[in-house]
Amino acid sequence: MNVTIVDYNSGNISSVINSFKEVANDKVNIEVTSDLNKIKLSDKLVLPGQGSFKSCVDALNSINGLVEILNEFVINNKKPLLGICVGLQMFADIGYEETETKGLGWISGKVSKINNQNNKYKLPHIGWNEINILKDSKIFKNIENNSHMYFVHSYEFIPNDKSVAAATTDYSSNIVCAVEKENIFGTQFHPEKSDKTGLKIIDNFINL
């Protein structure tokens, strides 16, 4: 089985690569590439994302044909994809970081700045926070509710359909921090930086 981490120059993804390789432990082939054909032929994709919504969308669009291949993979062929951090945010229709930017539109919704309640909450939201698991998501198999995950973000994904939310975290409000919609999975937190629990989420995705 081939699990491909999409490399589209969206910041440092070495910890994502290392974590997936550690979990895969040679049983699964982990590839890191921007090669469209390899992405297309993969069994599963991982879409990381660091930086701003706009910079990540621009980076995706800068690789000719990549968005079309991703759409085909996810929407037409219904193969599993895991978005991490801004990788999840880009599922939205639109994001408001820096400037209004069109997202991939896979899960209807928007990405807005976290309401810090007049500086009561620091932004970015950095560090460990517990998650409230809302549904029996495949990526949360054998993960205890209220587990702690590692976050770094100032913007949140607000889906139109609340049923796609797999988990929330409490920071200023109930922020959606994981989604599952058919073959589309995403985490706002960084599983690759969330110790053994995070590695278990990666393992669950690899073993889907």
Side-chain angles (χ1 to χ4, degrees):
M1 184 174 74
N2 286 317
V3 178
T4 297
I5 298 168
V6 181
D7 183 8
Y8 61 100
N9 304 319
S10 76
N12 181 8
I13 58 169
S14 56
S15 54
V16 175
I17 297 163
N18 293 338
S19 298
F20 270 82
K21 287 192 167 163
E22 183 184 333
V23 171
N25 196 10
D26 298 335
K27 295 190 294 283
V28 177
N29 184 39
I30 304 288
E31 179 116 41
V32 185
T33 185
S34 57
D35 182 304
L36 297 187
N37 207 39
K38 284 180 177 170
I39 291 169
K40 184 179 181 173
L41 296 173
S42 300
D43 299 301
K44 296 185 177 109
L45 290 183
V46 181
L47 186 65
Q50 280 193 326
S52 73
F53 185 95
K54 182 181 186 304
S55 69
C56 285
V57 169
D58 287 351
L60 274 188
N61 286 326
S62 73
I63 298 174
N64 200 12
L66 179 56
V67 170
E68 290 76 10
I69 288 283
L70 291 175
N71 283 329
E72 186 185 329
F73 189 96
V74 170
I75 305 300
N76 302 353
N77 299 334
K78 297 255 180 256
K79 291 201 268 188
L81 178 140
L82 173 67
I84 297 173
C85 198
V86 185
L88 150 69
Q89 293 180 1
M90 289 192 295
F91 296 172
D93 300 313
I94 195 156
Y96 293 101
E97 191 169 2
E98 292 181 43
T99 174
E100 194 176 293
T101 307
K102 195 167 172 280
L104 292 164
W106 293 342
I107 297 180
S108 186
K110 63 181 180 180
V111 175
S112 304
K113 195 164 193 175
I114 296 168
N115 178 0
N116 69 358
Q117 299 184 23
N118 294 326
N119 296 324
K120 191 171 150 196
Y121 290 86
K122 280 191 181 136
L123 290 181
H125 166 213
I126 296 186
W128 295 87
N129 207 342
E130 60 180 45
I131 65 165
N132 175 29
I133 298 174
L134 302 177
K135 66 177 182 181
D136 192 14
S137 171
K138 297 183 186 107
I139 60 169
F140 289 137
K141 189 179 169 193
N142 298 329
I143 302 274
E144 282 183 27
N145 195 20
N146 303 326
S147 292
H148 283 76
M149 300 294 178
Y150 189 79
F151 289 85
V152 187
H153 64 123
S154 299
Y155 284 74
E156 60 172 317
F157 174 43
I158 304 168
N160 293 341
D161 175 5
K162 297 290 176 254
S163 74
V164 301
T168 58
T169 191
D170 188 20
Y171 195 80
S172 163
S173 66
N174 273 331
I175 291 172
V176 172
C177 67
V179 297
E180 175 177 336
K181 183 188 177 187
E182 297 171 352
N183 53 310
I184 305 171
F185 302 86
T187 63
Q188 178 62 64
F189 55 82
H190 289 270
E192 78 282 5
K193 295 177 182 170
S194 298
D195 210 34
K196 285 184 180 137
T197 318
L199 292 180
K200 178 62 188 154
I201 288 174
I202 291 171
D203 187 49
N204 285 338
F205 178 71
I206 287 175
N207 287 314
L208 280 178

